[in-house]
């Protein structure tokens, strides 16, 4: 049986914009308003008010950790205007998690930024790093006792969003982000993140890491979207080239961090032309991804190699499906791959499933990733069998 590190975290994850509701001062709220075809987050699933219930359900099921985020647009709705009430809210979340025996894993930036920040050059402007630092500094005041802090979520995806928010980018590129399921059942290949944007985000991450080191006892890291890319025969060099721009730049920036968050959903091949679109198959997920529970193993091994052995937290892994039996099957296979990686000596400190709740999937409500369903009119929570199942795995520490 696989020997997990003592205190291995078993949990589930969310992001503030996807669950809280009415994140009206954020750039994404504006994007939803302005982008034709995009669904609105609206009340989301009202976790801003119902977080205690969400945490209770996770804890009662047997999980030991909850990853959630702090929303910059709430903490600093206008530049320099720090909301003590918002900070107190997130401190209550941290205390509530601890009260339920859940180790909080706190994300400081999960795709969204305040509207004022985005509208004044955002990540590309000369003030970006300093502005992010001011926010991070303000948040450090409520992080007492928090052990795990993710400065930034998926900078390699954020870099694509930043690039696409430039008004001169093509309508075609925008459409890619808005069309998870295209007519022929294939998920379009995402554009590459712009390395210049990526390096800027790495700079922001390092600045935030320094502030966290100075002001808190937390472990600091960031989380990277891992596409578990593999080469078709003869295309190893192309794989290295593609992977550098999409992932490795961000993994290399994690060297020297206390941990790295691995986020994995599916796997794709790379041929001489680049990333091969997901093949159509009946078991493709609701986001059009190939059903690839083995992706996590590829992601863990690649991350371990590129970072040179930075301890790993799986900060996201899951499946968009309306069939909860498929969710359990996917997750149990994914965990087998995780255990195999641990058996091979990779230092994995926890597994946080995406997601605790069905939520707002960045412009869409259809892809359901949750262990808990939510009635979007009454906000009533309905745990799915997968929640009890994962809780049981957590209690036993094995499958
Ligand atoms: C990741 C995001 C997360 C969620 C999942 C499905 O890219 O970090 O917010 O959308 O994918």
């Amino acid at each position: 049986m696989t020997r997990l590190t003592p205190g291995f975290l078993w949990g589930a994850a969310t992001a503030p914009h996807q669950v809280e509701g009415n994140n009206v001062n954020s750039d994404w709220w504006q994007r939803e308003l302005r982008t034709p075809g995009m669904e609105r987050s609206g009340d989301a699933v009202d976790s801003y008010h119902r977080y205690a219930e969400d945490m209770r359900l996770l804890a009662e099921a047997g999980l030991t950790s909850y990853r959630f985020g702090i929303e910059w647009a709430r903490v600093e709705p206008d530049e320099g205007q720090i909301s003590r009430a918002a900070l107190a809210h997130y401190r209550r979340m941290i205390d509530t998690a601890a009260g339920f025996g859940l180790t909080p894993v706190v994300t400081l930036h999960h795709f969204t930024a305040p509207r004022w920040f985005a509208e004044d050059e955002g990540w590309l402007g000369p003030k970006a790093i300093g502005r992010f630092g001011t926010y991070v500094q303000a948040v450090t005041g409520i992080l007492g006792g928090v052990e795990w802090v993710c400065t930034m979520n998926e900078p390699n995806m954020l870099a694509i969003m930043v690039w696409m928010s430039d008004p001169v980018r093509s309508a075609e590129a925008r459409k890619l982000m808005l069309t998870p399921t295209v007519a022929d059942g294939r998920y379009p290949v995402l554009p590459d993140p712009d390395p210049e944007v990526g390096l800027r985000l790495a700079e922001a991450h390092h600045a935030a890491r320094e502030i966290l080191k100075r002001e808190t006892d937390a472990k600091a890291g960031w989380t990277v979207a891992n596409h578990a890319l593999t080469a078709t025969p003869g295309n190893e060099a192309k794989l290295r080239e593609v992977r550098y721009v999409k992932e490795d730049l961000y993994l290399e920036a994690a060297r020297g961090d206390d941990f790295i968050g691995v986020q994995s959903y599916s796997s794709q091949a790379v041929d001489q032309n680049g990333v091969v679109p997901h093949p159509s198959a009946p078991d493709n997920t609701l986001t059009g991804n190939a059903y690839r529970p083995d992706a996590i193993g590829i992601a863990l091994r690649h991350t371990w190699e590129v970072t040179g052995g930075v301890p790993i937290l799986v900060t996201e892994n899951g499946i968009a499906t309306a069939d909860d039996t498929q969710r359990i099957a996917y997750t149990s296979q994914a965990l087998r791959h995780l255990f195999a990686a641990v058996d091979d000596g990779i230092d994995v400190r926890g597994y946080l499933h995406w997601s605790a709740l069905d939520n707002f999937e960045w412009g869409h409500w259809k892809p359901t990733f949750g262990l808990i369903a939510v009635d979007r009119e009454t906000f009533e929570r309905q745990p799915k069998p997968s929640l009890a199942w994962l809780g049981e795995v957590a209690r036993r520490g094995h499958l």
Side-chain angles (χ1 to χ4, degrees), residues 80-96:
Q81 183 73 38
I82 301 292
S83 165
R84 285 196 199 93
L87 287 173
H89 167 85
Y90 290 112
R91 182 65 222 183
R92 281 194 296 277
M93 285 188 75
I94 291 165
D95 291 337
T96 303

Side-chain angles (χ1 to χ4, degrees), residues 72 75-76 82 108-109 129-141 143 149 151 204 207-212 215-216:
W72 184 1
V75 170
E76 195 178 5
I82 301 292
L108 304 184
H109 184 280
I129 314 285
R131 285 169 164 169
F132 185 56
T134 302
Y135 157 67
V136 173
Q137 179 72 41
V139 171
T140 57
L143 292 179
V149 177
T151 60
R209 180 178 72 185
E210 212 169 288
I211 295 168
L212 289 166
E215 307 285 344
T216 75

Side-chain angles (χ1 to χ4, degrees), residues 50-181:
R50 294 166 199 262
Y51 64 85
E53 184 184 353
D54 300 339
M55 293 180 188
R56 180 176 56 76
L57 290 172
L58 301 179
E60 280 177 2
L63 299 182
T64 60
S65 179
Y66 181 45
R67 173 182 176 223
F68 59 91
I70 294 178
E71 184 62 57
W72 184 1
R74 291 188 197 270
V75 170
E76 195 178 5
D78 267 314
E79 184 163 21
Q81 183 73 38
I82 301 292
S83 165
R84 285 196 199 93
L87 287 173
H89 167 85
Y90 290 112
R91 182 65 222 183
R92 281 194 296 277
M93 285 188 75
I94 291 165
D95 291 337
T96 303
F100 282 121
L102 297 169
T103 299
V105 175
V106 176
T107 309
L108 304 184
H109 184 280
H110 196 125
F111 295 160
T112 47
R115 183 180 172 180
W116 61 261
F117 175 84
E119 288 175 356
D120 187 23
E121 300 188 86
W123 288 107
L124 302 175
K127 294 186 185 160
I129 314 285
R131 285 169 164 169
F132 185 56
T134 302
Y135 157 67
V136 173
Q137 179 72 41
V139 171
T140 57
I142 60 155
L143 292 179
V146 174
E147 191 182 347
W148 302 91
V149 177
C150 310
T151 60
M152 211 178 261
N153 180 73
E154 294 190 351
N156 49 338
M157 295 299 284
L158 178 63
I160 301 175
M161 292 180 195
V162 169
W163 181 84
M164 280 178 15
S165 63
D166 182 321
V168 299
R169 304 298 175 202
S170 73
E172 199 44 45
R174 284 159 185 271
K175 234 167 62 192
L176 292 178
M177 291 297 283
L178 291 176
T179 321
T181 317

Side-chain angles (χ1 to χ4, degrees), residues 252-320:
E252 285 178 5
R255 292 177 185 157
D257 287 2
D258 298 313
F259 73 96
I260 177 152
V262 167
Q263 316 210 144
S264 156
Y265 293 88
S266 187
S267 169
Q268 274 175 285
V270 171
D271 67 12
Q272 62 282 6
N273 303 312
V275 177
V276 180
H278 290 288
S280 321
D283 59 359
N284 276 10
T285 75
L286 291 174
T287 48
N289 285 352
Y291 180 85
R292 291 290 300 272
D294 59 323
I296 186 85
I298 303 169
L300 288 169
R301 288 165 203 280
H302 182 64
T303 300
W304 184 247
E305 192 189 314
V306 177
T307 59
V310 171
I312 296 175
L313 260 191
V314 174
T315 37
E316 292 184 20
N317 172 252
I319 176 169

Side-chain angles (χ1 to χ4, degrees), residues 232-246:
T232 53
N235 290 307
E236 286 74 16
K238 184 71 181 172
L239 169 66
R240 280 195 292 278
E241 175 196 320
V242 167
R243 205 160 49 180
Y244 182 76
V245 175
K246 288 187 180 288

